[in-house]
Amino acid sequence: MIKAILIFNNHGKPRLIRFYQYFAEDMQQQIIRETFHLVSKRDDNVCNFLEGGSLIGGSDYKLIYRHYATLYFVFCVDSSESELGILDLIQVFVETLDKCFENVCELDLIFHMDKVHYILQEVVMGGMVLETNMNEIVAQVEVQNRMEKSEVSDVKQGL
Amino acid sequence: MSDVVEKTLTALPSLLSLDPQPGSAKLSSTSKLGNLIRGITELTSKHEEEKLIQHELASIKDQVSSPNTSMRQMKELMVRAIYCESLGYEASFTYIHAIKLAQQGTALEKRVGYLAVSLFLNESHELLLLLVNTVLKDLQSTNLIEVCMALTVVSQMFPKDMIPAILPLVEEKLNHPKEIIRRKAVLALYKFYLIAPNQVQHIHNKFRKALCDKDPGVMTASLHIYLQMIQENPEGYKDLTASFVTILKQVVGGKLPMDFNYHSVPAPWLQIQLLRILALLGKNDQSASAVMYEVLDESLRRAEMNHNITYAILYECVKCIYTIHPKSDLLEKAAKCIGNFVLSPKINLKYLGLKALTYVVQQDPRLALQHQMTIIECLDHSDLIIKRETLELLFRITNAQNVVVIVEKMLEFLRVNTDDYTTIDLVGKVAELAEKYPSDTMSTVFSVGGDMMQPDIPNSFLKLLSEGFDSVEEDRKLRLFAVDSYITLLQKEPGKLPQRFLQVISWVLGEYSHLKDELEPTVVLKLLAKLLDMKHTSSETKSWILMAMTKLCEGGAEVSVVREVSETYSSSMDTVLRQRAHELQYLSQDSELRAKVLLRDNGLRPLEVDSSLSFLDGFVSEALAAGAAPYKPPHQRQEELAQAKALSLEPYGLSLPMSMSSCSITDRQSPTLLSMSSGLSGDSAEISHKGGSTSLKLDGVKRVWGREGYLPQRAAVEEAAQVEVPCTLRSPSQQGDADSSHSQTPTSTPTPTEPDPEKQQLASLFFGLSSQSSVCLMGKPEPTPHRFRRKAKGVTDPTSSSLISTPSNVEKLLCNNLLDSNIASELAVSSAKQITELPQGLKTASSDIKQNNPSLIVDNGIVAAADEDPDRPKDLCLISHLPAELSELCHSEITPLCTIQSILCAVNSCQYRGDGIFPVAWGGPSGSSVLIQTPFNHLHQVTHVSAELKKSTQCLSFAHSDVTFPCRPLTVSTEEYGTMWLSFSHDTKQNLTLIGDGQEALTATLNVLKQKLQLHVVEIIGQEGILSCRLLQDQPCLMHCRVHAGTLAVWLRSPVPDLPDCLIYHCQRALQEY
């Protein structure tokens, strides 16, 4: 199970926060801060796995992260997930974002946080990996986009 | 691809600082969200941000509550609220509007509403109930997107109690023509399974259908469920093994559409999932494993491409191969794979390689030996995570030879580590090692670990110190050493030591400083007094110190110190401290009292806990005689309270024909029930009640007598057995003593600064391994190494101590290499000797026990005979008094016990519903009869009573004190056990002594219980075991045992109130007798 997905930038500013297990609001913020603290002090040439952040649940949990230029993508998972598998899932997710936003950048994540959430929903659902096939994810997102466009044009016609 | 992403992301800062750019033009720069975000990025301080957001939230609040806001605007507002929340500012006023949006909006607005709800709320939030109807509606919608959204929100969070409401709809979706819907429905059901497993029990065959779905995506989703269910119950899904193997074969063989390829690897995530399932299914199952070998081989072969995801598959493959029933050529290939991982320059792979090594090293320590160089390198790796993983690996291969170096490495890591969590974990491990291989490292652990470690670590250390090891001499040395080193520590600079350590120090000094003859108690007292005066000493530590002082002061010179201290603290604000100070004061003045309270005992003195609190019996019976109400356990009180509240619908005149169980209630319960069941006029009911209470009282008194009467006999027998057993056990440890007298303590501080540290490490780290594997001890299952470890301590210690005592390092190194072979042979010889010695010892012991056993059986024989003895004419007339519900059953002759004021007591054994034979005691005034004891409740008491009563009537005296507990094995499966366990209300917990030590102790102990008490061993899982038995058809009792800190923690549960207590008593007895 994936317990949480956190995306923050090099300064620790959260860009996307998604918890699949309930934590109180202040606890969430504390987890974000601690995770950032743990991840940011690691060099780029060390391994992408971190164990036992005491906040999110002890020895069974792992932080698996990737660092892209200004953004950290951190997945907090339990032992039932494969480490390398998740690492590649992060890659799939980022590539999907890239496809959907046409050269994704941090600004896209900031201004279209809702869209990023919708894309994520097609990859991970309730903490479970739903889809790992990028084309499939993009197709699902596109269906929603079409609906959006048709609705906008409906409104225009109505006017 | 990632390069492209990286490029764009690097360009970000410039984008941010500049105004409208072609890139950001598409980002609705004029929107309010845009303004907000831009505003925030321009701010420099946290305080300003706070102000801005609060302002923003206020304006959102205004707008959402205004009736003029359209749904479209609401959507925009909601996104802004989400943004604020993600920054950590609460916007709880929007929650209700989010739900409203999900309820009333169009599909797009719904989407925002659902998203906001799933981000804002949690499963137990009360507002979520408002969403149930919306979800129901959307699940039935014809719009696929709406159905998808509903399923997503359901799997994200849904109130547990409301699952039944939507379950049928979600189930229906399993047949939906669209595969995306089917897939989401499967995952939603999986989520339901996780939060409320019993609610989806009935749709297991639908899961099977999902597994056979024509769409591979749906099948993949169903594997989540199967992985979980197989984890919980591997036996139940063995029939699917072949199917999973076939699926994996097809996937590996590239039978899936190209769509599923990721970097030209066919469906890697699916493969990973399948491999995990196979590992679970093949564990400890040869036939299931046999089916997998081929496909595993194929997977290993195919996954040779040089990409991350293939390594993920390889890793799972290797783990699977080492989990299932071993096959040599596969193991070889897997070992090679692990080698590649460990040697890889990629750090992620190295990490996984170390993890895999840690996993397999218990089965095959040679593998660690092969990679020792790499492991040593990893110890000095710059990445702390790698270092920790290496230590974890070393922890698994620790043995008596390399423990010093490994612990030293761990401590080294502890000193540089800053992460609390790791420190706690590692300190625990070091403590565990120190416990296994006693040495002085604990001092370092305490001072490094500080107050962060778990409280049970110092406790178990003290326990270890006080209970000692096999030989008295060794204990003495260890304690002396502890005293010595702690005194030195205190003389240096006690101010820096952590509180926990100070507590340990004061305890040790209080308990053992008298062992050191030349040490004046005054010196110790002064040191302790100095600790008391230190500013940062916590009051808890102070009370430890005061207790230590109480133990130390023996009158004489030290009195002045003590008096001063006790005077200071007897007026302390802290009540505990004041209490301790007063104790100290009185005990230091009254040496007689002191000698009584604080026994100074050198020997091993295990505390006997009298769980039945029999020493209170006298008090209780006195109180009862004085008219006190008998004690009722809380559950019974509650029951009675419930009964008292409910209207009694039973007629008053209800007479004799009543069930056994109601009888059992009668004797302990309220007088009203009793009088009801006696079915007589008020007067005689009164009498019978009195009779009951007198017999109760007698029960208590007589029991004490009974115990006293029989105790000497039993004790004598036990003593005889004890004389035999220790003798045989002592011989190896004596040998150990003789050997260990070479050095003061087995291990003193290691010296890691060697001319060639790496070599030295190598030698010492894998030293034990190689020698041991040459004797094939590691390869074997646990029992031998454990026994070997304990018994051979004397033999192995001198080697390490001789290493240390050798003067030069070069020699030491040489010694290492030379000893390697020497020791191997020595160990082999000595261990073999001891192992052969041991069974002999055990044999003699067990033959002793056998000799005891017959006497017990003889005792039982006497009972049987005794029952037949009494004169028959009396018997005939007694039958007429037999309680109605018993009279129809087979029974042996009835023995009258005594007659007290026209109340007749008798005992006989009765067969109850063909289920077994119980002695039954009953009595009552002539013409009526009331059972005074039901068979199981206080069986031993009954016999005591009867035996005593008999004595008084000069009929016959029972020549035994024990009746075998009349229970039978109850054969249940582990699942049945689980459900039964939860449904039983009465329980008892207690620690019992283990028989034997090491891994086998649990099994041995359970076997004794099985033999002696006829318990059924349901399953033994690692250090835990579950057993079951029953008394009657519907009176089961379940037992859960866990080995914990050298004792057996037992938890009993039963629907019958007194059964757990009774059974635990018998277990205790059974183990004692053994």
Side-chain angles (χ1 to χ4, degrees):
Chain A
M1 279 285 257
I2 299 169
K3 298 289 165 185
I5 293 171
L6 314 173
I7 304 176
F8 40 71
N9 71 3
N10 288 348
H11 306 290
K13 273 247 177 291
R15 291 305 177 214
L16 178 123
I17 304 301
R18 174 97 248 196
F19 281 90
Y20 295 102
Q21 184 187 345
Y22 173 68
F23 290 101
E25 181 67 39
D26 49 343
M27 190 63 182
Q28 288 189 8
Q29 291 301 319
Q30 209 179 329
I31 290 172
I32 296 168
R33 271 197 303 277
E34 182 173 304
T35 312
F36 172 69
H37 180 70
L38 280 173
V39 167
S40 63
K41 67 178 178 200
R42 291 177 65 78
D43 294 337
D44 277 348
N45 60 351
V46 294
C47 71
N48 297 54
F49 315 118
L50 266 172
E51 266 170 75
S54 46
L55 280 175
I56 238 175
S59 57
D60 195 32
Y61 295 91
K62 265 194 203 84
L63 299 175
I64 297 169
Y65 73 96
R66 266 179 186 267
H67 188 198
Y68 295 93
T70 61
L71 290 175
Y72 285 98
F73 287 71
V74 185
F75 280 42
C76 176
V77 301
D78 67 7
S79 61
S80 72
E81 300 288 344
S82 148
E83 291 93 343
L84 288 177
I86 291 290
L87 208 55
D88 269 70
L89 186 70
I90 299 179
Q91 180 67 26
V92 167
F93 178 48
V94 173
E95 282 180 30
T96 312
L97 287 179
D98 193 63
K99 252 195 182 162
C100 294
F101 287 108
E102 294 157 22
N103 284 341
V104 69
C105 64
E106 190 179 346
L107 283 179
D108 292 315
L109 266 63
I110 303 170
F111 286 99
H112 299 288
M113 199 177 43
D114 49 337
K115 280 208 185 93
V116 179
H117 270 293
Y118 302 139
I119 296 168
L120 184 60
Q121 268 176 7
E122 298 303 322
V123 182
V124 178
M125 178 172 140
M128 299 160 289
V129 179
L130 175 72
E131 179 61 75
T132 50
N133 182 353
M134 189 164 64
N135 296 332
E136 194 65 29
I137 302 167
V138 173
Q140 287 304 322
V141 175
E142 237 135 55
V143 170
Q144 295 185 18
N145 286 347
R146 269 204 299 278
M147 179 180 78
E148 203 164 351
K149 269 178 200 146
S150 70
E151 192 158 295
V152 170
S153 60
D154 280 355
V155 171
K156 276 182 184 155
Q157 276 166 12
L159 288 171
Chain B
M1 177 55 74
S2 63
D3 297 339
V4 180
V5 181
E6 262 169 42
K7 256 182 234 158
T8 37
L9 291 183
T10 356
L12 251 182
S14 56
L15 281 177
L16 264 175
S17 55
L18 295 172
D19 260 342
Q21 277 270 325
S24 60
K26 63 176 181 181
L27 316 168
S28 47
S29 51
T30 51
S31 75
K32 284 183 180 157
L33 177 70
N35 287 335
L36 170 65
I37 294 167
R38 208 155 294 130
I40 286 177
T41 38
E42 277 163 13
L43 298 177
T44 47
S45 75
K46 182 84 191 160
H47 178 70
E48 280 176 275
E49 179 191 297
E50 209 164 293
K51 237 168 66 183
L52 186 75
I53 300 265
Q54 291 307 348
H55 181 254
E56 179 72 20
L57 284 176
S59 92
I60 293 176
K61 196 172 186 174
D62 275 351
Q63 288 182 56
V64 288
S65 44
S66 134
N68 299 328
T69 314
S70 72
M71 278 295 164
R72 234 176 102 75
Q73 287 166 314
M74 195 66 105
K75 191 179 99 185
E76 220 263 302
L77 287 169
M78 210 45 76
V79 176
R80 270 153 71 194
I82 293 176
Y83 183 79
C84 294
E85 277 250 339
S86 81
L87 289 177
Y89 299 90
E90 200 188 290
S92 53
F93 59 88
T94 55
Y95 296 174
I96 185 71
H97 297 283
I99 288 180
K100 232 159 75 188
L101 199 62
Q103 276 171 348
Q104 297 162 1
T106 62
L108 273 180
E109 289 149 13
K110 251 180 201 303
R111 192 168 67 155
V112 180
Y114 273 132
L115 177 66
V117 167
S118 75
L119 285 172
F120 292 159
L121 305 183
N122 64 70
E123 274 113 351
S124 48
H125 201 285
E126 51 192 354
L127 282 178
L128 217 51
L129 288 177
L130 297 175
L131 201 70
V132 174
N133 253 329
T134 322
V135 169
L136 268 178
K137 205 176 74 200
D138 286 338
L139 278 177
Q140 286 161 303
S141 159
T142 50
N143 186 341
L144 287 185
I145 290 176
E146 282 180 352
V147 179
C148 276
M149 286 190 299
L151 284 173
T152 306
V153 85
V154 154
S155 69
Q156 172 72 30
M157 39 140 216
F158 200 72
K160 202 169 157 186
D161 319 331
M162 298 311 289
I163 289 175
I166 58 161
L167 190 57
L169 280 174
V170 178
E171 270 177 67
E172 209 176 87
K173 294 287 173 281
L174 287 177
N175 300 322
H176 200 275
K178 269 290 211 200
E179 60 269 1
I180 183 73
I181 306 266
R182 289 206 299 274
R183 190 189 302 181
K184 287 194 173 180
V186 168
L187 283 186
L189 285 176
Y190 172 54
K191 191 73 188 223
F192 292 167
Y193 179 78
L194 285 181
I195 52 178
N198 43 354
Q199 298 199 351
V200 286
Q201 215 126 53
H202 62 287
I203 46 173
H204 278 200
N205 52 348
K206 291 203 173 159
F207 292 155
R208 289 207 179 209
K209 215 179 133 211
L211 184 66
C212 305
D213 200 287
K214 59 181 187 294
D215 180 64
V218 182
M219 189 265 290
T220 314
S222 75
L223 290 183
H224 282 288
I225 301 179
Y226 277 102
L227 183 64
Q228 180 71 26
M229 292 196 298
I230 292 172
Q231 214 155 24
E232 285 161 12
N233 171 28
E235 292 308 315
Y237 300 91
K238 293 279 183 196
D239 57 321
L240 286 174
T241 314
S243 321
F244 289 125
V245 169
T246 322
I247 297 174
L248 184 58
K249 230 177 244 172
Q250 288 173 352
V251 176
V252 174
K255 298 273 161 43
L256 287 184
M258 286 295 278
D259 264 6
F260 287 88
N261 284 9
Y262 174 77
H263 289 266
S264 53
V265 180
W269 286 278
L270 176 58
Q271 288 193 43
I272 291 170
Q273 198 87 339
L274 281 168
L275 285 167
R276 287 187 168 219
I277 290 179
L278 289 184
L280 288 174
L281 284 172
K283 195 175 184 185
N284 303 325
D285 185 341
Q286 192 168 2
S287 59
S289 304
V291 188
M292 303 168 194
Y293 292 143
E294 195 195 327
V295 74
L296 287 175
D297 195 34
E298 175 87 9
S299 297
L300 275 184
R301 213 158 39 76
R302 292 259 179 169
E304 269 170 357
M305 264 213 345
N306 197 8
H307 187 267
N308 236 344
I309 201 72
T310 54
Y311 291 121
I313 297 172
L314 271 182
Y315 177 69
E316 292 304 327
C317 241
V318 167
K319 261 186 104 169
C320 180
I321 288 170
Y322 271 96
T323 314
I324 63 173
H325 190 85
K327 184 170 188 252
S328 57
D329 63 322
L330 275 183
L331 286 180
E332 224 167 84
K333 284 180 189 168
K336 221 177 110 198
C337 261
I338 294 183
N340 290 340
F341 272 96
V342 177
L343 294 173
S344 164
K346 288 184 184 166
I347 298 178
N348 286 341
L349 297 188
K350 211 182 232 359
Y351 169 86
L352 286 179
L354 285 171
K355 265 207 121 59
L357 260 187
T358 315
Y359 184 73
V360 301
V361 83
Q362 282 136 318
Q363 297 167 37
D364 187 7
R366 277 167 307 162
L367 210 52
L369 211 61
Q370 277 174 28
H371 300 297
Q372 43 177 297
M373 270 319 277
T374 328
I375 295 174
I376 299 290
E377 273 166 24
C378 287
L379 265 183
D380 296 322
H381 201 276
S382 56
D383 189 352
L384 279 186
I385 298 291
I386 298 276
K387 251 188 188 173
R388 231 188 80 190
E389 212 47 52
T390 317
L391 286 177
E392 173 82 39
L393 170 62
L394 289 179
F395 172 69
R396 300 286 169 95
I397 58 165
T398 310
N399 56 34
Q401 280 86 27
N402 58 23
V403 64
V404 177
V405 185
I406 289 180
V407 167
E408 182 58 30
K409 280 279 161 200
M410 287 181 166
L411 293 176
E412 220 171 81
F413 182 84
L414 273 177
R415 286 192 193 99
V416 295
N417 181 55
T418 49
D419 175 21
D420 289 1
Y421 177 79
T422 323
T423 307
I424 292 168
D425 182 56
L426 211 55
V427 164
K429 288 199 171 114
V430 178
E432 201 183 319
L433 287 181
E435 213 168 294
K436 268 195 205 158
Y437 313 98
S439 66
D440 67 320
T441 29
M442 280 318 272
S443 300
T444 334
V445 177
F446 283 128
S447 42
V448 173
D451 292 328
M452 216 129 64
M453 66 177 89
Q454 258 129 23
D456 62 324
I457 292 171
N459 283 349
S460 60
F461 172 66
L462 292 184
K463 196 166 160 243
L464 177 87
L465 209 55
S466 64
E467 284 179 356
F469 310 103
D470 300 330
S471 76
V472 179
E473 187 51 31
E474 217 172 293
D475 289 345
R476 219 181 85 84
K477 269 185 197 143
L478 185 65
R479 288 168 190 164
L480 258 180
F481 179 77
V483 171
D484 266 345
S485 50
Y486 291 162
I487 291 278
T488 342
L489 268 176
L490 287 189
Q491 278 163 347
K492 267 190 234 154
E493 209 174 342
K496 281 181 186 160
L497 299 174
Q499 300 298 319
R500 285 256 166 75
F501 190 29
L502 286 179
Q503 290 164 12
V504 169
I505 289 179
S506 48
W507 187 87
V508 169
L509 289 182
E511 206 74 11
Y512 297 120
S513 66
H514 66 90
L515 289 175
K516 200 170 155 68
D517 298 327
E518 63 269 34
L519 190 66
E520 288 285 325
T522 331
V523 179
V524 186
L525 279 173
K526 277 192 179 140
L527 281 174
L528 290 176
K530 212 168 81 187
L531 280 184
L532 276 178
D533 293 338
M534 284 190 317
K535 234 187 259 161
H536 69 271
T537 313
S538 72
S539 57
E540 194 195 344
T541 312
K542 278 182 182 162
S543 78
W544 280 72
I545 295 171
L546 284 177
M547 273 192 280
M549 291 176 116
T550 319
K551 288 177 202 156
L552 280 172
C553 63
E554 279 173 323
E558 59 266 30
V559 170
S560 61
V561 186
V562 168
R563 189 172 299 146
E564 200 179 303
V565 169
S566 56
E567 268 165 19
T568 327
Y569 284 97
S570 54
S571 56
S572 161
M573 292 293 278
D574 190 319
T575 44
V576 179
L577 275 185
R578 203 152 34 172
Q579 162 90 11
R580 298 277 169 250
H582 279 294
E583 279 170 18
L584 174 61
Q585 200 167 14
Y586 287 118
L587 289 177
S588 65
Q589 280 158 11
D590 190 344
S591 60
E592 232 173 83
L593 180 64
R594 194 180 162 283
K596 242 195 239 169
V597 176
L598 298 165
L599 294 166
R600 179 150 290 168
D601 206 39
N602 286 340
L604 191 67
R605 182 167 44 92
L607 287 174
E608 289 269 339
V609 179
D610 186 355
S611 65
S612 58
L613 300 179
S614 61
F615 57 90
L616 285 175
D617 284 353
F619 175 76
V620 171
S621 57
E622 263 172 42
L624 283 176
Y631 171 74
K632 288 171 193 155
H635 53 81
Q636 198 184 334
R637 261 175 274 161
Q638 269 173 1
E639 264 170 37
E640 268 172 37
L641 213 64
Q643 276 172 9
K645 275 179 193 160
L647 271 177
S648 169
L649 296 175
E650 303 213 6
Y652 279 99
L654 187 74
S655 61
L656 286 177
M658 53 188 173
S659 72
M660 193 86 162
S661 60
S662 79
C663 275
S664 77
I665 297 170
T666 350
D667 94 63
R668 289 175 292 111
Q669 288 229 348
S670 61
T672 48
L673 260 178
L674 192 74
S675 61
M676 243 163 58
S677 53
S678 71
L680 289 171
S681 68
D683 204 332
S684 62
E686 205 69 71
I687 294 169
S688 81
H689 179 214
K690 258 185 207 157
S693 67
T694 30
S695 71
L696 238 181
K697 193 177 80 188
L698 272 177
D699 182 21
V701 180
K702 295 300 177 190
R703 203 179 140 207
V704 177
W705 276 100
R707 271 182 96 88
E708 303 253 303
Y710 289 109
L711 262 180
Q713 270 184 9
R714 244 184 49 215
V717 175
E718 267 171 20
E719 238 169 72
Q722 269 169 7
V723 173
E724 286 294 328
V725 182
C727 270
T728 51
L729 284 180
R730 208 173 289 154
S731 53
S733 57
Q734 273 168 352
Q735 186 188 330
D737 277 358
D739 286 344
S740 63
S741 54
H742 286 297
S743 66
Q744 201 204 8
T745 36
T747 43
S748 58
T749 342
T751 44
T753 46
E754 300 286 342
D756 189 355
E758 201 166 73
K759 247 191 192 168
Q760 201 260 342
Q761 275 172 2
L762 268 179
S764 43
L765 277 179
F766 297 95
F767 175 48
L769 263 189
S770 57
S771 66
Q772 282 209 349
S773 56
S774 70
V775 218
C776 290
L777 275 171
M778 288 289 269
K780 279 188 197 168
E782 291 74 30
T784 10
H786 260 262
R787 193 171 295 160
F788 171 74
R789 202 250 308 157
R790 276 252 156 176
K791 297 304 162 205
K793 204 187 324 161
V795 186
T796 50
D797 281 343
T799 54
S800 57
S801 59
S802 68
L803 278 180
I804 286 155
S805 56
T806 40
S808 86
N809 294 323
V810 185
E811 242 177 279
K812 187 172 165 182
L813 273 177
L814 272 175
C815 215
N816 262 347
N817 295 333
L818 280 175
L819 275 174
D820 207 359
S821 54
N822 276 348
I823 288 166
S825 55
E826 194 188 327
L827 286 178
V829 173
S830 61
S831 65
K833 216 193 285 170
Q834 277 154 11
I835 287 163
T836 49
E837 245 169 64
L838 206 69
Q840 275 171 3
L842 283 176
K843 250 180 229 158
T844 43
S846 64
S847 69
D848 271 355
I849 289 156
K850 260 186 204 146
Q851 277 167 7
N852 286 344
N853 263 340
S855 70
L856 278 175
I857 293 161
V858 170
D859 279 355
N860 283 335
I862 290 174
V863 182
D867 276 356
E868 283 166 21
D869 250 17
D871 30 354
R872 276 148 206 261
K874 246 186 179 176
D875 187 28
L876 273 176
C877 72
L878 280 171
I879 282 183
S880 61
H881 297 300
L882 197 64
E885 72 279 3
L886 294 178
S887 61
E888 282 155 34
L889 304 168
C890 303
H891 60 85
S892 64
E893 279 79 3
I894 299 164
T895 316
L897 293 173
C898 62
T899 339
I900 310 163
Q901 295 170 358
S902 84
I903 297 164
L904 183 83
C905 295
V907 67
N908 69 342
S909 46
C910 216
Q911 197 162 20
Y912 182 68
R913 283 183 205 152
D915 238 344
I917 300 171
F918 311 111
V920 176
W922 47 276
S926 39
S928 75
S929 43
V930 173
L931 270 176
I932 56 172
Q933 289 292 348
T934 43
F936 59 84
N937 275 347
H938 303 288
L939 195 57
H940 50 282
Q941 292 171 8
V942 177
T943 36
H944 283 309
V945 172
S946 57
E948 280 308 313
L949 289 172
K950 277 193 178 193
K951 259 186 200 159
S952 64
T953 49
Q954 297 291 314
C955 275
L956 234 176
S957 70
F958 269 31
H960 92 131
S961 64
D962 184 37
V963 181
T964 3
F965 191 61
C967 70
R968 270 145 291 266
L970 170 65
T971 322
V972 289
S973 70
T974 312
E975 299 81 55
E976 285 166 345
Y977 180 96
T979 46
M980 281 162 85
W981 180 264
L982 292 176
S983 62
F984 294 168
S985 50
H986 304 289
D987 64 348
T988 300
K989 286 184 196 174
Q990 188 155 347
N991 286 347
L992 298 179
T993 44
L994 274 170
I995 290 172
D997 63 320
Q999 293 285 321
E1000 273 198 329
L1002 180 67
T1003 333
T1005 316
L1006 296 190
N1007 275 338
V1008 171
L1009 293 179
K1010 188 179 164 188
Q1011 279 164 17
K1012 292 236 169 193
L1013 296 171
Q1014 305 238 307
L1015 305 180
H1016 169 66
V1017 180
V1018 181
E1019 200 179 356
I1020 297 178
I1021 316 155
Q1023 291 296 294
E1024 296 183 33
I1026 49 178
L1027 300 94
S1028 62
C1029 70
R1030 69 192 165 94
L1031 206 54
L1032 294 178
Q1033 196 61 48
D1034 46 359
Q1035 298 180 332
C1037 185
L1038 302 179
M1039 184 166 169
H1040 174 263
C1041 317
R1042 192 164 60 88
V1043 177
H1044 177 67
T1047 58
L1048 189 68
V1050 178
W1051 190 0
L1052 286 158
R1053 275 194 173 192
S1054 166
V1056 188
D1058 287 324
L1059 192 49
D1061 287 321
C1062 194
L1063 188 58
I1064 197 103
Y1065 173 78
H1066 282 278
C1067 287
Q1068 224 168 5
R1069 291 271 301 263
L1071 292 178
Q1072 264 169 21
E1073 273 164 24
Y1074 186 84

